[in-house]
Amino acid sequence: MQALRQEILPPSGVEFAACLKFTPSTLSDSGPSTSQSGRALFNVVVARSSLLRIFEVREEPAPISVQKEDERDRRASVRKGTEAVEGEVEMDASGEGFVNMGTSTGQNGMAQPATVNTFYLIREHRLHGTVTGLEAVRTVHSLEDKLDRLLVSFKDAKIALLEWSDAIHDVLTVSIHTYERAPQLMALDSALFRTELRVDPLSRCAALSLPKDALAILPFYQSQAELDLIEQETSQARDVPYSPSFVLDLANDVDKRIRNVIDFTFLPGFNNPTVAVLCQYQQTWTGRLKEYKDTVGLYIFTLDLVTNNYPVITAVEGLPYDCFSLTPCSTATGGVVILAGNSIVFVDQSSRRVILPVNEWLPRTSDVPAPALTPQEQQRDLQLEGSRFTFVDDKTFFVIMKDGTVLPVELVLDGKTVSRLSMSDAIARTTIPAVVKRMENDHLFIGSIVGPSVLLKTAHVEEEIKDEDVEMSVSPATVVAPTDTMDLDDDEDLYGPSSTTEQPSVNGTTNGVDSVKKRTVVRLSLCDAIPAYGPISDMAFGIARNGDRAVPELIAATGSGELGGFHLFQRDMPTRSKRKLHAIGGGRGMWSLAVRQPMKVSGGTFERPANPYHAEKDSVIISTDANPAPGLSRIATRTAHSDITITTRIPGTTLGAAPFFQGTAILHILFNVTNVIRVLEPDGSERQSIKDMDNNKPRPKIKSCSICDPFVLIIREDDTIGLFIGEIEKGKIRRKDMSPMGDKTSRYIAGCFYADTSGLFQTFLNEQAPAENVTSTLQGAMNAGSKSQWLVLVRPQGVVEIWTLPKLTLAFSTTLLATLDPVLTDSLDPPALSLPQDPPRKPQELDIDQITIAPLGESWPRPHLIVLLRSGQLAIYEAVATAPPAEPLPSTRSSTLLVKFVKVMSKAFDIHWQHTEEEQKSVLAEQKRISRLLLPFVTSPTPGQTFSGVFFTGDRPCWILSTDKGGVKLFPSGHNVVQAFTTSSLWDSRGDFLLYSEEGPSLVEWMPDTQLDGHLPARSVPRSKSYSNVVYDASTSLIVAASSFQNRFASYDEDGNIVWEPDSPNISFPRCECSTLELITPDGWITMDGYEFAANEFVNCIASVPLETMSTESGMKDFIAVGTTINRGEDLAVKGAVYIFEIVEVVPDPKSKVKRWWRLKLLCRDDAKGPVSFLCGMNGYLVSSMGQKIFVRAFDLDERLVGVAFLDVGVYVTSLRAVKNLLVIGDAVKSVWLVAFQEDPYKLVILGKDPYYCCITRADLFFADGHLSIVTCDEEGIVRLHAYDPRDPESKSGQHLLRRTEFHGQTEYRSSLLIARRPKTGDPEIPQARLVCGSVDGSLSTLTYVDEAAFKRLHLLQGQLIRTVQHVAALNPKAFRMVRNEYVSRPLSKGILDGNLLATFEDLPIGRQNEVTRQIGTDRATVLKDWASLVGAW
């Protein structure tokens, strides 16, 4: 069998981070790329597994709060002259009195605008390698462009040096350094080692840790002089910024005592790079402390890269055995701080040690002398395992505990030496940390792999100390003040400790007040967060209700500890229908327009003044249908009773409509025998009508149009265009002169207007070009200020031109868009010729069918160019500002647009066109015609949140959106076809859409609380606890989940006496895992009922199993089966139990609003002698594992389990999966077994087993088109396909399962779901199996069956892509997926396709796609069709 493995969701969270100045926009003196709305401060690059993301942190004006917007609305209705001035609030609603509350002023008395720091995603890459480190580095080339470079280390001992390239607006690989062939990596256990990357503070070299206590050192040149010296010596030009790297064996080259390295770091302030290494010469553990304790040593040595000499300058031994991390102090104090499980240790360069115990365990596990503690410190009981820490200034560092608690610690100085460490009380909670990074301008970034990652801002503030407050000067200060924090902070500001500096106050002792002492406090506040949900511990498919529609929803138990909860994923954009609007029709188009109604006063009319603060609400809907012929258009408005009323019916098909003359009229384009361009009054009556005639002969029908007040563009079916301009003083429109664009008969296949409000579209004028005559009636063009208007036109040969308005000068021309090249720049060509051809030109496959420029984004929308080719290829380009050209412009061009377009997304749709002319012209074809249009929209689903996007109508309808932290995303709409689309605020909501789908016309809105940052629309359900298992009960539509938490554990002897208990207040009980069962309703996520297990019992698995019962007519019913482990300490054997629950309906509490209420009823508890590690149902029986055995049991009389068959299997069962009477068993040692169950007589028969040892985390049956395979995943993430084939001689008559394919998935998955897939060409009766797998790094992947012919094409394509495409960081995709196998001569790599690699084919330009597919003997259309039929979530 062959399959495609693709990542639906990339890994979630942040494991590694680097804060640096990476992109040119972060330089303060940068030119055009700095936005008007704020400035870029720095970049944060984050990585998790194989996902690399580059963010920009931008400082922006604080958004106006919702209350202030409401105030603006209300103020708009206040009588002129009675408005409150700034700093006043309204005192009473009826009168005109106001009370002044003052306004915040800065130092110079001016009001300071508040700013916020926010993340913006710039680039995202899925790498062909697992990241193990990120660091910023400055090379020789940084002296020229002042930008940092990025070093990335990978699991297979590689270092890549990346830099930002402005030409491609993406990362560029400078070099890659591989150490995978170093002798240290040849050992068998090297796969268990994780390489770590560190960089010298002055970027003189980088070091990568290798197995066997070695460091790979990569030196960097520091100046051009060093480069010139190398050039003279080697007589060859060196443009690389590094010298040859080497491997340093610490035990042989530095000091033989350096063994078993725990952590290492570079120290600042030395002339040569200096490394501090924390290591454990003699290894020990808790049970061996009587023989070996205090085994950790710290060694500081310098790297002399010239003489290859490495002297040790400091050696400290006898540190506590549980040290796990070290960080250098600043040059002001010197030395390092070491974090241990029970203490914090400071070591200076003279080997002095200062220790701070955090609990009473330190004296019991170590002989290190501890200082005298205050009574307060003696009560402290902290566990520092899993903590991270970083310095916030020279003397203060924050320890962030594994639960997110922030503890400030201060180095107390006595002169210049550190005398003691002082820790304050916990001051706040933040996210659970995985990495903490400090940025030089007072920012802390805390990355988490189990939840959101946060950016915190530190500030040093001075505050006064009262004299009687004596304690303040002793311990560091912590103050709490309210702030707008996110939900993972306990609504607290984080305030750090302080150093007390006594200063006389300015006013001395005036008025008898004593002089005020002041001290500096480190204050921390939240800036922004990167959303994440963390690992997927279990998942189940449920049914969600989007309004009236039931849709499948993936319920995933995610996160850990306080950040735990559920994440609900849907494949399509979740929308719900608010009302059906069959009266208005609209099968050919709908337009909802905001038009101001004129007011009649004493005989005359005048326009109602527009409110500048508030967008107008829509007042008119124009809709059109194809029948009755020649089409029918309706104009409708809404009455007071919120019903729709059709005011006008017009024969003919509307092709376009928009508000005109600043929203006081409607421009209406109609086809009824001839093309008519009409100006309508707001009530629908006609003001002006221009028939599109050529000397009394009707011109061909208009196929598309674009309206942008005051311009109108029409494109006819013979590819000619017409351009009209509105004269605002006359209220009429007229034809516009198009002579600058070439001959009147020029042909154009697509076009649109774009009104730029971002200020990005700037032109650079050519001084040498002759001045042009200004077009008359400029009053019509109201593009004053930042709003400029542009005309985009596509000529048949593929030239795309952007013209300025109203002067019609060519500003941009390119031929590269038709081939979807990655970067489009102005070719500086003169206007192209596109004269009519004879015979008329026929549409081509690669013609541009639709083109639009529209803003995409959330809080800062940017212009994007979106293009659809007739072949179904959709591409999205982001507009990026460029510098003015260095060369003078050619004389044929008067200006150029200072913008380039960079491709950010490409997607191939499988689209069928009506090809023959007879098909196109028939009446039936007109009825069936599907209009595929790109329609821009702006929506506000909730107050304070606005999205600008584009909707793609047709038979593949989808939403194109961009979010601040997620970039450009494309979500299917969930409809089979959408014929018409428009946003509508007619019903007083800014989040409404009018859609004409297969269900007819309806008013639709997005489901609330949908998160759009990810690759699937998601909803988050935070529960403040993590869940280990989740199952959906289909009969009641309820969720049963096992929550997991830590409980205190005590050991008892046989008589029930406690064996050990704490003898001191700061000695704590050990902890063990504990579970409770919860019955949750998805409506409101209320816990209806639960079941508490014993304090030392936790749930291993939950399954909804159909078992035999007498309580139903069918004789079967779904029960909830739970398998548990009872932990009795290390001296007694583990036990387990099986529970059978039934979900029963009970009478609801009349006080609650819930109509139906359910409870969990325990029917049976069956004790087991070993842990019940897995359960599943099979043919009405329950299959359970107990230690080394598998039992098949029947449920007798709804009260007990009766065993009918058993089987001795491996060591510990990790997975059971049944299909019909076949059972697949996964084991922690003995790999996978295939077993059959027979009922007469009852027995389990072993069909085959894997002869090799392997630790299986999950095993599934995978079947399609009459083929069967067994899919397994092991703890290293290797996915294997096993075949059961008794006819193969290697299988020894079927006793051995055959390993057919091995594919390295890199991360293990412990939850998988088998779902049905029904392809168009497959058997409609028997579906194919599709496997959805949720990994421990948060990624969600699918395994999809691929038929033989398509597999051969895609496998050859995969080989071409490996060889011919430049991959990010120069990584090798083939080696990344290859599995080392000792039993076969060559890797078993054929059989599973890598979806991440094949996805790059869609992004290639068309020329490269043709080139790659030609080499494998196929064409791009066939390959893209294969690909389109396989991709998709489920």
Side-chain angles (χ1 to χ4, degrees):
M1 278 182 83
Q2 312 86 24
L4 165 75
R5 183 186 182 273
Q6 53 173 337
E7 247 179 30
I8 303 298
L9 291 172
S12 172
V14 172
E15 194 173 5
F16 302 99
C19 300
L20 69 166
K21 303 247 180 184
F22 192 57
T23 58
S25 59
T26 57
L27 301 175
S28 53
D29 58 343
S30 69
S33 56
T34 306
S35 77
Q36 298 172 327
S37 59
R39 63 189 183 99
L41 298 176
F42 54 89
N43 296 105
V44 175
V45 184
V46 300
R48 172 86 163 109
S49 295
S50 58
L51 182 73
L52 184 82
R53 289 178 291 171
I54 302 167
F55 289 93
E56 189 174 85
V57 174
R58 197 175 290 143
E59 187 178 68
E60 295 181 336
I64 298 168
S65 67
V66 183
Q67 291 90 350
K68 284 188 184 168
E69 281 190 356
D70 292 346
E71 173 73 15
R72 273 183 172 180
D73 287 357
R74 202 186 45 68
R75 206 178 282 176
S77 62
V78 171
R79 202 167 77 238
K80 186 83 180 136
T82 64
E83 311 93 329
V85 297
E86 187 191 352
E88 294 185 342
V89 292
E90 187 174 359
M91 191 169 74
D92 56 345
S94 55
E96 295 176 2
F98 295 93
V99 55
N100 196 323
M101 299 291 286
T103 178
S104 60
T105 53
Q107 265 105 30
N108 54 2
M110 293 291 288
Q112 291 282 340
T115 58
V116 289
N117 296 345
T118 47
F119 285 113
Y120 285 88
L121 181 74
I122 295 180
R123 270 280 184 259
E124 176 179 291
H125 287 291
R126 299 189 192 190
L127 307 178
H128 300 288
T130 303
V131 177
T132 60
L134 291 176
E135 290 289 347
V137 69
R138 295 184 78 80
T139 65
V140 176
H141 301 147
S142 301
L143 299 172
E144 301 161 20
D145 59 15
K146 301 187 174 54
L147 292 175
D148 298 339
R149 272 46 180 176
L150 182 68
L151 270 186
V152 189
S153 68
F154 296 96
K155 185 178 165 185
D156 45 1
K158 293 187 175 102
I159 303 177
L161 179 62
L162 307 178
E163 69 180 10
W164 183 260
S165 163
D166 236 14
I168 59 169
H169 197 69
D170 203 348
V171 289
L172 197 66
T173 311
V174 178
S175 61
I176 185 158
H177 309 264
T178 66
Y179 305 97
E180 52 194 338
R181 298 189 186 280
Q184 284 85 356
L185 282 126
M186 293 302 165
L188 290 172
D189 61 347
S190 64
L192 300 171
F193 184 82
R194 202 172 92 165
T195 58
E196 289 186 345
L197 181 69
R198 300 283 185 271
V199 168
D200 177 59
L202 297 176
S203 297
R204 290 170 291 197
C205 67
L208 182 74
S209 62
L210 299 178
K212 310 289 179 213
D213 307 312
L215 298 179
I217 307 286
L218 175 64
F220 292 103
Y221 295 122
Q222 283 307 292
S223 63
Q224 197 59 41
E226 285 184 33
L227 273 176
D228 298 341
L229 189 68
I230 296 291
E231 248 175 75
Q232 290 165 10
E233 285 177 6
T234 58
S235 70
Q236 61 184 18
R238 286 294 298 256
D239 59 347
V240 291
Y242 50 85
S243 56
S245 64
F246 59 93
V247 175
L248 182 68
D249 187 330
L250 296 174
N252 292 333
D253 300 345
V254 182
D255 192 313
K256 64 178 188 298
R257 294 171 296 181
I258 303 181
R259 297 235 182 250
N260 310 313
V261 173
I262 299 166
D263 196 8
F264 73 104
T265 186
F266 282 92
L267 302 184
F270 286 85
N271 290 332
N272 283 333
T274 303
V275 185
V277 177
L278 194 67
C279 62
Q280 192 170 25
Y281 180 74
Q282 173 70 56
Q283 287 184 300
T284 187
W285 66 289
T286 318
R288 221 180 155 202
L289 290 177
K290 285 187 177 171
E291 286 82 24
Y292 298 105
K293 63 167 77 166
D294 300 334
T295 53
V296 171
L298 174 74
Y299 299 90
I300 300 175
F301 63 92
T302 55
L303 293 170
D304 192 332
L305 301 173
V306 181
T307 61
N308 293 351
N309 196 14
Y310 317 107
V312 175
I313 56 174
T314 302
V316 179
E317 293 182 349
L319 295 172
Y321 82 104
D322 53 359
C323 296
F324 61 87
S325 173
L326 85 160
T327 286
C329 302
S330 71
T331 50
T333 52
V336 294
V337 172
I338 301 167
L339 220 55
N342 302 314
S343 58
I344 302 170
V345 186
F346 168 80
V347 181
D348 67 11
Q349 283 146 15
S350 62
S351 306
R352 262 186 79 254
R353 290 178 291 190
V354 178
I355 196 158
L356 174 69
V358 294
N359 56 38
E360 186 60 26
W361 284 111
L362 181 71
R364 304 178 193 211
T365 59
S366 169
D367 292 336
V368 176
L373 300 177
T374 64
Q376 186 187 357
E377 288 174 331
Q378 285 173 7
Q379 300 296 316
R380 189 178 286 139
D381 182 17
L382 303 173
Q383 282 79 40
L384 296 182
E385 288 87 355
S387 304
R388 301 286 183 272
F389 71 119
T390 187
F391 277 87
V392 288
D393 60 23
D394 286 351
K395 293 182 291 187
T396 312
F397 60 92
F398 283 165
V399 177
I400 296 139
M401 307 277 286
K402 65 182 175 191
D403 63 351
T405 306
V406 181
L407 295 164
V409 182
E410 191 181 351
L411 304 176
V412 180
L413 295 180
D414 186 1
K416 283 195 174 181
T417 59
V418 175
S419 60
R420 63 187 181 88
L421 301 176
S422 167
M423 179 188 280
S424 303
D425 294 337
I427 51 173
R429 287 282 287 277
T430 179
T431 188
I432 295 173
V435 59
V436 182
K437 288 279 177 175
R438 181 186 174 202
M439 190 63 191
E440 70 263 2
N441 53 355
D442 298 336
H443 284 84
L444 279 185
F445 178 74
I446 303 174
S448 173
I449 56 174
V450 296
S453 304
V454 296
L455 182 72
L456 304 170
K457 186 173 173 62
T458 61
H460 292 74
V461 236
E462 288 191 347
E463 69 171 26
E464 299 174 358
I465 310 174
K466 294 174 185 159
D467 273 358
E468 61 268 19
D469 201 348
V470 184
E471 279 187 47
M472 281 290 197
S473 57
V474 180
S475 70
T478 59
V479 198
V480 175
T483 179
D484 290 337
T485 56
M486 54 179 297
D487 52 7
L488 50 96
D489 279 56
D490 292 342
D491 284 340
E492 297 176 352
D493 251 9
L494 311 149
Y495 286 81
S498 70
S499 53
T500 307
T501 52
E502 292 192 16
Q503 298 171 340
S505 70
V506 183
N507 53 1
T509 55
T510 49
N511 300 337
V513 180
D514 292 342
S515 65
V516 182
K517 293 179 184 175
K518 292 190 177 180
R519 46 118 183 243
T520 307
V521 182
V522 180
R523 178 180 295 180
L524 220 69
S525 56
L526 182 83
C527 297
D528 200 7
I530 300 173
Y533 51 85
I536 297 175
S537 50
D538 198 13
M539 55 189 188
F541 266 107
I543 293 174
R545 301 209 71 81
N546 294 346
D548 301 332
R549 288 169 61 204
V551 293
E553 184 171 65
L554 186 70
I555 303 159
T558 57
S560 172
E562 288 280 321
L563 301 180
F566 297 107
H567 251 72
L568 318 173
F569 298 103
Q570 291 189 20
R571 183 189 64 185
D572 306 324
M573 177 66 117
T575 56
R576 64 183 174 203
S577 175
K578 293 174 78 174
R579 59 193 303 164
K580 297 277 187 257
L581 298 165
H582 291 294
I584 63 171
R588 276 281 161 267
M590 290 194 278
W591 296 266
S592 181
L593 314 175
V595 186
R596 295 205 298 279
Q597 304 286 346
M599 300 195 305
K600 289 187 167 56
V601 177
S602 63
T605 64
F606 72 95
E607 307 298 340
R608 184 180 296 157
N611 176 358
Y613 286 130
H614 205 286
E616 290 287 313
K617 292 259 171 64
D618 294 353
S619 54
V620 179
I621 293 175
I622 298 180
S623 60
T624 185
D625 287 279
N627 50 343
L632 177 68
S633 299
R634 301 178 181 89
I635 300 179
T637 57
R638 188 183 143 212
T639 57
H641 303 294
S642 85
D643 295 328
I644 212 89
T645 312
I646 293 162
T647 55
T648 316
R649 287 183 173 82
I650 310 161
T653 311
T654 301
L655 299 161
F660 217 66
F661 296 130
Q662 300 179 343
T664 59
I666 301 169
L667 195 110
H668 185 209
I669 299 175
L670 185 76
F671 177 78
N672 179 9
V673 185
T674 60
N675 301 322
V676 187
I677 294 100
R678 312 165 70 219
V679 180
L680 307 182
E681 301 289 355
D683 59 359
S685 56
E686 191 175 285
R687 182 192 294 181
Q688 183 195 8
S689 170
I690 298 181
K691 288 194 173 172
D692 191 29
M693 308 282 276
D694 187 13
N695 298 334
N696 299 331
K697 249 181 12 199
R699 287 194 166 143
K701 183 180 173 183
I702 297 172
K703 67 173 181 183
S704 68
C705 63
S706 180
I707 308 168
C708 181
D709 189 9
F711 300 102
V712 183
L713 169 76
I714 56 171
I715 304 180
R716 306 183 189 92
E717 287 184 342
D718 64 348
D719 291 347
T720 57
I721 66 167
L723 194 59
F724 300 84
I725 183 167
E727 298 175 308
I728 196 163
E729 68 277 10
K730 293 181 187 170
K732 300 281 180 75
I733 58 167
R734 61 170 180 78
R735 291 184 185 276
K736 180 158 171 56
D737 174 38
M738 296 189 293
S739 53
M741 291 153 60
D743 195 270
K744 268 186 188 172
T745 57
S746 292
R747 298 297 196 248
Y748 304 87
I749 52 174
C752 70
F753 290 113
Y754 170 59
D756 179 52
T757 52
S758 66
L760 191 69
F761 277 42
Q762 302 286 343
T763 50
F764 175 75
L765 297 176
N766 186 0
E767 278 84 26
Q768 284 80 34
E772 298 182 354
N773 294 327
V774 178
T775 327
S776 58
T777 60
L778 276 177
Q779 302 95 319
M782 329 145 311
N783 49 357
S786 66
K787 187 175 177 183
S788 54
Q789 287 172 300
W790 308 81
L791 172 62
V792 186
L793 288 171
V794 184
R795 299 184 187 256
Q797 67 267 40
V799 180
V800 177
E801 297 176 345
I802 300 179
W803 295 78
T804 64
L805 288 172
K807 291 186 182 180
L808 283 181
T809 56
L810 183 62
F812 189 93
S813 173
T814 182
T815 55
L816 301 176
L817 184 61
T819 56
L820 303 185
D821 277 34
V823 180
L824 312 177
T825 52
D826 188 1
S827 62
L828 300 176
D829 292 336
L833 292 170
S834 53
L835 297 173
Q837 297 176 1
D838 202 30
R841 180 180 178 279
K842 292 223 171 90
Q844 311 285 317
E845 271 290 286
L846 298 179
D847 277 359
I848 291 174
D849 183 58
Q850 292 289 326
I851 187 167
T852 187
I853 299 183
L856 294 185
E858 193 177 340
S859 52
W860 187 54
R862 293 182 66 104
H864 285 69
L865 171 71
I866 305 171
V867 63
L868 174 73
L869 305 188
R870 275 183 66 87
S871 62
Q873 190 94 359
L874 180 84
I876 304 169
Y877 289 81
E878 183 184 354
V880 178
T882 59
E887 303 288 319
L889 297 181
S891 59
T892 51
R893 286 285 294 275
S894 63
S895 66
T896 178
L897 188 60
L898 295 180
V899 163
K900 67 182 172 203
F901 294 95
V902 182
K903 185 156 72 172
V904 290
M905 179 180 270
S906 188
K907 172 102 176 139
F909 291 103
D910 187 10
I911 285 179
H912 304 289
W913 294 86
Q914 297 159 333
H915 286 296
T916 62
E917 286 188 31
E918 290 77 31
E919 272 184 26
Q920 288 176 352
K921 286 185 178 167
S922 69
V923 179
L924 196 62
E926 178 57 29
Q927 298 293 330
K928 287 187 172 177
R929 183 171 64 85
I930 292 171
S931 55
R932 299 183 182 91
L933 303 172
L934 295 164
L935 302 174
F937 67 88
V938 178
T939 182
S940 180
T942 54
Q945 185 182 42
T946 305
F947 289 98
S948 302
V950 170
F951 189 84
F952 177 45
T953 64
D955 50 355
R956 301 283 185 280
C958 53
W959 304 83
I960 301 167
L961 295 164
S962 177
T963 62
D964 294 343
K965 302 175 186 71
V968 176
K969 296 282 181 283
L970 191 142
F971 298 123
S973 81
H975 300 91
N976 294 334
V977 63
V978 173
Q979 296 282 17
F981 168 90
T982 180
T983 55
S984 177
S985 57
L986 203 63
W987 283 268
D988 301 327
S989 167
R990 299 252 166 233
D992 287 354
F993 306 96
L994 278 171
L995 286 183
Y996 191 100
S997 62
E998 69 272 14
E999 300 164 4
S1002 52
L1003 189 70
V1004 164
E1005 68 173 353
W1006 291 351
M1007 292 291 287
D1009 304 323
T1010 304
Q1011 296 172 1
L1012 303 172
D1013 292 311
H1015 292 256
L1016 289 177
R1019 244 173 0 116
S1020 171
V1021 184
R1023 306 278 291 178
S1024 300
K1025 53 189 165 187
S1026 58
Y1027 289 82
S1028 57
N1029 303 80
V1030 60
V1031 70
Y1032 181 80
D1033 184 64
S1035 57
T1036 58
S1037 300
L1038 298 175
I1039 292 162
V1040 182
S1043 62
S1044 169
F1045 53 92
Q1046 296 288 311
N1047 205 345
R1048 293 190 305 169
F1049 179 81
S1051 225
Y1052 293 88
D1053 61 13
E1054 291 165 359
D1055 301 330
N1057 301 318
I1058 193 162
V1059 175
W1060 176 88
E1061 58 185 326
D1063 51 0
S1064 167
N1066 52 355
I1067 290 280
S1068 54
F1069 272 109
R1071 300 257 162 187
C1072 71
E1073 194 177 342
C1074 176
S1075 295
T1076 57
L1077 205 61
E1078 294 183 22
L1079 181 66
I1080 302 166
T1081 169
D1083 298 332
W1085 292 88
I1086 303 162
T1087 302
M1088 291 184 154
D1089 195 16
Y1091 182 84
E1092 284 201 17
F1093 297 98
N1096 60 337
E1097 186 173 13
F1098 61 88
V1099 171
N1100 292 322
C1101 56
I1102 305 178
S1104 176
V1105 289
L1107 300 175
E1108 290 180 3
T1109 179
M1110 294 185 293
S1111 61
T1112 60
E1113 290 178 16
S1114 61
M1116 300 289 281
K1117 188 180 177 185
D1118 285 349
F1119 293 93
I1120 302 295
V1122 180
T1124 65
T1125 293
I1126 300 168
N1127 176 11
R1128 303 193 295 161
E1130 56 190 6
D1131 298 330
L1132 295 171
V1134 170
K1135 287 187 174 181
V1138 176
Y1139 296 80
I1140 304 290
F1141 291 95
E1142 182 183 8
I1143 300 175
V1144 294
E1145 188 167 5
V1146 294
V1147 178
D1149 184 354
K1151 293 175 189 170
S1152 71
K1153 296 175 184 174
V1154 183
K1155 291 176 185 170
R1156 301 180 74 183
W1157 200 261
W1158 308 80
R1159 290 252 182 261
L1160 282 171
K1161 181 182 177 187
L1162 178 62
L1163 299 179
C1164 165
R1165 180 182 193 267
D1166 189 81
D1167 285 316
K1169 292 178 181 173
V1172 180
S1173 54
F1174 224 89
L1175 298 165
C1176 74
M1178 181 169 65
N1179 288 1
Y1181 297 94
L1182 177 70
V1183 184
S1184 65
S1185 71
M1186 187 208 75
Q1188 292 88 19
K1189 286 184 170 61
I1190 295 284
F1191 288 97
V1192 180
R1193 296 176 186 174
F1195 193 38
D1196 186 32
L1197 301 172
D1198 288 2
E1199 60 182 26
R1200 61 195 184 112
L1201 290 168
V1202 179
V1204 294
F1206 79 94
L1207 179 71
D1208 283 317
V1209 286
V1211 177
Y1212 182 85
V1213 174
T1214 56
S1215 174
L1216 290 174
R1217 191 48 74 85
V1219 173
K1220 293 187 175 175
N1221 69 328
L1222 292 177
L1223 186 66
V1224 179
I1225 304 166
D1227 191 84
V1229 176
K1230 298 282 189 72
S1231 192
V1232 63
W1233 296 25
L1234 179 64
V1235 173
F1237 173 60
Q1238 77 173 40
E1239 292 191 50
D1240 193 18
Y1242 289 115
K1243 69 172 177 178
L1244 288 162
V1245 182
I1246 298 171
L1247 300 178
K1249 47 178 146 174
D1250 183 8
Y1252 306 116
Y1253 282 0
C1254 179
C1255 177
I1256 300 293
T1257 59
R1258 197 76 179 187
D1260 289 278
L1261 279 163
F1262 188 65
F1263 45 88
D1265 295 356
H1267 303 288
L1268 173 80
S1269 282
I1270 296 167
V1271 181
T1272 63
C1273 175
D1274 70 7
E1275 61 182 357
E1276 287 178 28
I1278 298 168
V1279 179
R1280 294 183 175 88
L1281 289 183
H1282 300 262
Y1284 173 66
D1285 187 358
R1287 292 165 298 183
D1288 192 312
E1290 280 184 35
S1291 72
K1292 300 193 177 171
S1293 306
Q1295 290 179 36
H1296 287 179
L1297 296 175
L1298 302 171
R1299 284 188 183 180
R1300 294 284 193 219
T1301 301
E1302 293 183 320
F1303 177 92
H1304 214 315
Q1306 299 299 331
T1307 51
E1308 61 181 292
Y1309 63 85
R1310 293 185 179 271
S1311 59
S1312 61
L1313 297 167
L1314 207 59
I1315 56 173
R1317 174 175 179 263
R1318 292 180 174 83
K1320 292 174 186 171
T1321 55
D1323 183 348
E1325 292 295 317
I1326 306 168
Q1328 298 175 0
R1330 184 181 227 167
L1331 203 61
V1332 181
C1333 313
S1335 302
V1336 292
D1337 63 359
S1339 60
L1340 190 72
S1341 56
T1342 59
L1343 207 65
T1344 310
Y1345 172 75
V1346 185
D1347 65 66
E1348 190 105 13
F1351 180 82
K1352 284 177 179 171
R1353 282 191 293 270
L1354 293 173
H1355 186 73
L1356 288 169
L1357 173 68
Q1358 187 169 283
Q1360 283 294 324
L1361 293 173
I1362 289 169
R1363 290 188 290 275
T1364 60
V1365 173
Q1366 281 201 350
H1367 305 288
V1368 181
L1371 294 162
N1372 182 350
K1374 188 177 179 183
F1376 184 54
R1377 297 302 184 190
M1378 201 174 279
V1379 178
R1380 184 172 164 183
N1381 189 328
E1382 306 291 339
Y1383 307 106
V1384 290
S1385 56
R1386 54 187 303 177
L1388 303 169
S1389 54
K1390 192 175 176 181
I1392 296 182
L1393 298 167
D1394 185 358
N1396 279 3
L1397 176 60
L1398 287 171
T1400 58
F1401 179 73
E1402 263 186 323
D1403 295 333
L1404 292 177
I1406 287 170
R1408 293 277 287 121
Q1409 287 181 344
N1410 286 328
E1411 187 186 315
V1412 167
T1413 49
R1414 193 170 55 245
Q1415 290 168 341
I1416 59 173
T1418 183
D1419 59 10
R1420 63 177 285 280
T1422 310
V1423 168
L1424 286 171
K1425 198 171 177 183
D1426 289 339
W1427 177 247
S1429 68
L1430 291 168
V1431 294
W1434 46 75

